[in-house]
Amino acid sequence: MEAIASITPEIIETTPAAPPVAPKLISGSEALMMALVAEGVDTIFGYPGGAIMPVYDALYDFQDRLNHILVRHEQGAAHAAEGYARVTGRAGVCLVTSGPGATNLVTGIADALIDSTPMVCIVGQVAKKLLGTDAFQEADVMGVTMPITKWNYQITDADEVPDVISKAFYIAQSGRPGPVLIDITKSAQLELMTKPFAYERCQSIISYRPRLVPKLEQVEAAARLINSAKRPYVLVGHGVQIAKAEAELLTFVEKTGIPVATTLLGQSTISTAHPLYVGWLGMHGNYGANVMTDQADVVIAIGMRFDDRVTGDASKFIKQAKVVHIEIDPSEIDKIIRADAPVVGDAKEALNALLSLVNPNDHTVWRNEFRKYDVVEHETITQPVLNTAEGKIRMGEVVNMLSEKTNGESILVTDVGQHQMMASRYYQFRRPNSLVTSGGMGTMGFALPAAFGAQVGAPDRQVVAIIGDGCFQMTLQELGTIVQNKQPVKAIILNNNFLGMVRQWQQLFHQRRYSFVELQNPDFITIAKGFGMDGMTCDQRENLSDALDTMLNHDGPFLLEVIVEKEENVFPMVPAGTSVSQIRLK
């Protein structure tokens, strides 16, 4: 036995090699979920439907990583995503189905484009083989959204999902931010990828290279104009907040002593209490801030686009001034107002580059010129609004009292119309990034869902929506979203039973021919309570303070309806098509 053992070949016991395991392949829907998680998305505003159902099925397994908020209408999803994006600086995400689900997003997408708001909209589409057949809920969303998106793309192959989603977020959030739409066919949602999922964040695209750092020669030319100016004037737009350049702006103006005005969307970039702040521009902006544009010898426009609400008749706007235009979007340079010293780049980078080139200065005498107009405006407009004891409550009273009670530190979300202008006039902003409103599109129905989105994005800040009675009725169903998600949004309806701004124009420019502007309103508080939201109505001036306290101190969402003067007008006013020098005080 022993001899036999000695000749027996040595036996090495080994574990049989396991057969190779093929990497798990996942569906397009699961790939979409994994891509959103990899991109850092935490919240989705959406509404399910047939053509996006596979994605929603995948979402069921990602609820611990992706907070999906079920809105009551797709337009509400878009505005909520805008509100979220405006306070966070990150792209808001919408998820909806095809056809009407997608087209209901269109108003919000257009709103986001013109107000430079990053948003990624993912919409379902019919299966690839049904494209072009007029299948159920098929719509040419690509064609519809092409002019109102920064980029749109239709996914027909599951393998495309990671790269397309990566590009979508990069494009939406870089350069001048804006909305991106991804149309994904149902077949691409259902089919398996043919390769393992891998995600890499997009950092650049060959054909898309927004310039962040401006050219040195452009900055030097701007600095020469600024240093030579006797009556320089800084006009600040939304682009400064987008670039998170509030601190750089403050350093720049404090070094140079230049007075600062903002556009509507630029409000809250600088505290209204800062001695260099002279007001806001535009059709209903401050008297001095508007009129003095015609006195400046150098205008430094930063992150703004000279829209008609600022310029009035653009052919007569700042004709006497040299213009420095700092703007990340080169298509805005020379589009409306010619720039003597264009600076293409990110506002933060441009201001940092300018800081070492501009001279310390003091323009006290020039700044004091603005204050003369402030006195006139206060005596003619502000004081009568805030110190009246007769008639119904005025909109300015409500906003002014709210401003005092919140120390100017709330995030204000406004709709569009008279209440929007009153909010901008009478709220004293003390913190950056504190106004969310629809500036370019002027979208009624924006405020309620946008306030909800802003509260989700900024849970540590108090969010107050200021809404007109007409606007409120366009998206009031989102009360249900607010209640279901337990967001402590406070909403104030300034109820004058009119489409107030249209009525004002009919009064001033159409011989008081009030054509279809009076509203027979429902009981807003009963509606709110029907959704489960507490609320109250205030129609007496002596009760206003207590009513605001009740709202602000309420634990949870609250709706306050304030019955205001029916035919109050907003002044100052630069009538459409006129120059800023023709501004009206009454």
Side-chain angles (χ1 to χ4, degrees):
M1 290 294 291
E2 191 173 350
I4 294 173
S6 63
I7 61 172
T8 301
E10 186 178 4
I11 298 174
I12 302 175
E13 293 185 358
T14 57
T15 303
V21 177
K24 180 188 176 187
L25 299 179
I26 62 175
S27 70
S29 296
E30 190 175 354
L32 176 59
M33 295 297 102
M34 293 177 68
L36 293 177
V37 171
E39 195 59 44
V41 171
D42 55 18
T43 303
I44 299 170
F45 302 94
Y47 203 103
I52 198 69
M53 207 169 291
V55 170
Y56 269 85
D57 186 65
L59 179 59
Y60 186 85
D61 294 324
F62 280 78
Q63 295 178 67
D64 57 335
R65 285 157 283 178
L66 294 169
N67 176 34
H68 179 273
I69 293 172
L70 177 62
V71 296
R72 298 301 185 267
H73 188 283
E74 290 86 352
Q75 184 180 351
H79 295 324
E82 287 186 273
Y84 175 92
R86 294 274 285 274
V87 300
T88 64
R90 305 194 302 271
V93 178
C94 300
L95 180 65
V96 303
T97 192
S98 63
T103 56
N104 282 343
L105 287 179
V106 165
T107 298
I109 293 172
D111 194 280
L113 182 72
I114 201 165
D115 283 350
S116 307
T117 304
M119 191 158 69
V120 173
C121 302
I122 300 163
V123 304
Q125 183 55 277
V126 300
K128 182 179 179 180
K129 67 180 181 182
L130 294 177
L131 288 172
T133 67
D134 294 335
F136 178 66
Q137 291 192 332
E138 182 190 11
D140 180 9
V141 179
M142 296 295 291
V144 169
T145 60
M146 184 174 291
I148 57 169
T149 51
K150 202 172 169 187
W151 184 58
N152 67 1
Y153 189 88
Q154 184 176 71
I155 295 177
T156 57
D157 184 330
D159 285 348
E160 296 179 287
V161 171
D163 286 346
V164 171
I165 295 301
S166 178
K167 284 181 181 176
F169 280 90
Y170 176 69
I171 292 171
Q173 296 176 145
S174 60
R176 180 179 177 179
V180 168
L181 182 137
I182 303 302
D183 191 37
I184 178 168
T185 59
K186 194 167 186 177
S187 46
Q189 299 169 41
L190 289 166
E191 68 188 21
L192 296 180
M193 296 179 68
T194 61
K195 53 188 178 183
F197 175 86
Y199 193 83
E200 184 175 348
R201 282 193 176 185
C202 182
Q203 303 293 331
S204 66
I205 296 174
I206 291 176
S207 58
Y208 168 69
R209 293 181 179 274
R211 173 178 287 278
L212 298 180
V213 179
K215 293 180 180 176
L216 179 60
E217 58 267 31
Q218 291 187 340
V219 178
E220 290 174 337
R224 284 194 294 273
L225 271 184
I226 294 168
N227 288 334
S228 66
K230 304 300 182 187
R231 300 183 304 281
Y233 190 10
V234 171
L235 312 183
V236 170
H238 189 203
V240 174
Q241 293 187 44
I242 291 172
K244 295 181 169 47
E246 295 94 337
E248 287 77 9
L249 173 75
L250 204 58
T251 304
F252 171 77
V253 296
E254 288 180 343
K255 179 178 182 180
T256 58
I258 301 176
V260 187
T262 70
T263 63
L264 174 69
L265 289 179
Q267 284 188 295
S268 81
T269 302
I270 182 171
S271 168
T272 55
H274 195 284
L276 292 171
Y277 178 72
V278 295
W280 61 289
L281 303 158
M283 180 173 281
H284 294 286
N286 293 112
Y287 188 29
N290 274 307
V291 171
M292 295 302 281
T293 55
D294 280 345
Q295 303 299 317
D297 63 350
V298 172
V299 167
I300 304 112
I302 310 173
M304 55 95 73
R305 57 186 179 84
F306 292 112
D307 76 295
D308 63 305
R309 284 295 178 108
V310 165
T311 65
D313 182 351
S315 69
K316 298 175 182 175
F317 186 71
I318 58 175
K319 304 305 291 184
Q320 81 292 341
K322 298 289 186 183
V323 177
V324 175
H325 193 178
I326 300 171
E327 171 58 47
I328 197 167
D329 182 353
S331 71
E332 293 293 347
I333 301 292
D334 291 342
K335 187 173 85 174
I336 297 171
I337 299 296
R338 191 183 71 83
D340 299 280
V343 179
V344 176
D346 175 80
K348 193 182 191 80
E349 296 284 352
L351 286 167
N352 271 326
L354 269 175
L355 276 174
S356 62
L357 301 176
V358 294
N359 300 329
N361 214 324
D362 183 327
H363 293 285
T364 302
V365 175
W366 160 237
R367 290 203 308 274
N368 286 341
E369 294 295 313
F370 288 79
R371 302 309 176 198
K372 297 176 182 176
Y373 291 93
D374 291 346
V375 172
V376 174
E377 180 177 341
H378 183 77
E379 292 177 351
T380 309
I381 301 171
T382 308
Q383 197 273 342
V385 168
L386 300 184
N387 295 288
T388 184
E390 299 178 351
K392 289 186 177 179
I393 300 170
R394 310 282 289 273
M395 286 185 270
E397 288 181 80
V398 182
V399 177
N400 181 67
M401 193 174 289
L402 175 70
S403 180
E404 292 176 350
K405 288 180 180 295
T406 58
N407 299 315
E409 295 193 342
S410 293
I411 292 176
L412 220 60
V413 184
T414 67
D415 242 303
V416 174
Q418 286 185 314
H419 67 278
Q420 177 191 36
M421 297 298 127
M422 291 295 192
S424 288
R425 281 189 54 75
Y426 292 99
Y427 197 82
Q428 302 303 316
F429 296 99
R430 294 292 190 263
R431 290 181 62 176
N433 203 15
S434 294
L435 176 65
V436 178
T437 192
S438 173
M441 279 286 284
T443 303
M444 293 178 68
F446 172 86
L448 191 66
F452 169 71
Q455 188 72 80
V456 172
D460 296 332
R461 295 193 64 185
Q462 183 167 58
V463 175
V464 181
I466 307 284
I467 310 176
D469 48 308
C471 292
F472 185 74
Q473 293 178 73
M474 289 197 169
T475 51
L476 63 82
Q477 69 276 8
E478 300 306 336
L479 290 172
T481 310
I482 293 171
V483 172
Q484 183 170 348
N485 289 276
K486 300 180 174 59
Q487 292 296 326
V489 174
K490 316 302 184 192
I492 301 174
I493 300 176
L494 298 178
N495 183 2
N496 58 10
N497 286 96
F498 265 126
L499 300 176
M501 188 60 84
V502 181
R503 184 210 58 74
Q504 176 172 336
W505 281 55
Q506 290 178 346
Q507 177 187 343
L508 298 177
F509 308 114
H510 296 273
Q511 298 78 48
R512 214 182 183 94
R513 288 158 54 87
Y514 291 168
S515 183
F516 303 101
V517 289
E518 187 160 15
L519 296 168
Q520 180 177 326
N521 286 328
D523 183 335
F524 293 123
I525 304 304
T526 296
I527 290 174
K529 290 183 177 178
F531 280 103
M533 181 185 290
D534 285 331
M536 63 181 293
T537 298
C538 175
D539 59 0
Q540 299 297 319
R541 180 169 287 107
E542 57 270 27
N543 298 332
L544 179 60
S545 179
D546 287 345
L548 285 170
D549 287 340
T550 299
M551 178 193 76
L552 293 171
N553 295 328
H554 186 77
D555 183 18
F558 194 90
L559 178 67
L560 173 62
E561 177 191 24
V562 181
I563 307 301
V564 297
E565 185 67 45
K566 280 182 68 76
E567 298 193 40
E568 181 182 10
N569 289 336
V570 187
F571 289 108
M573 180 178 188
V574 180
T578 66
S579 73
V580 293
S581 64
Q582 295 172 283
I583 190 169
R584 294 177 57 166
L585 296 179
K586 57 184 180 181

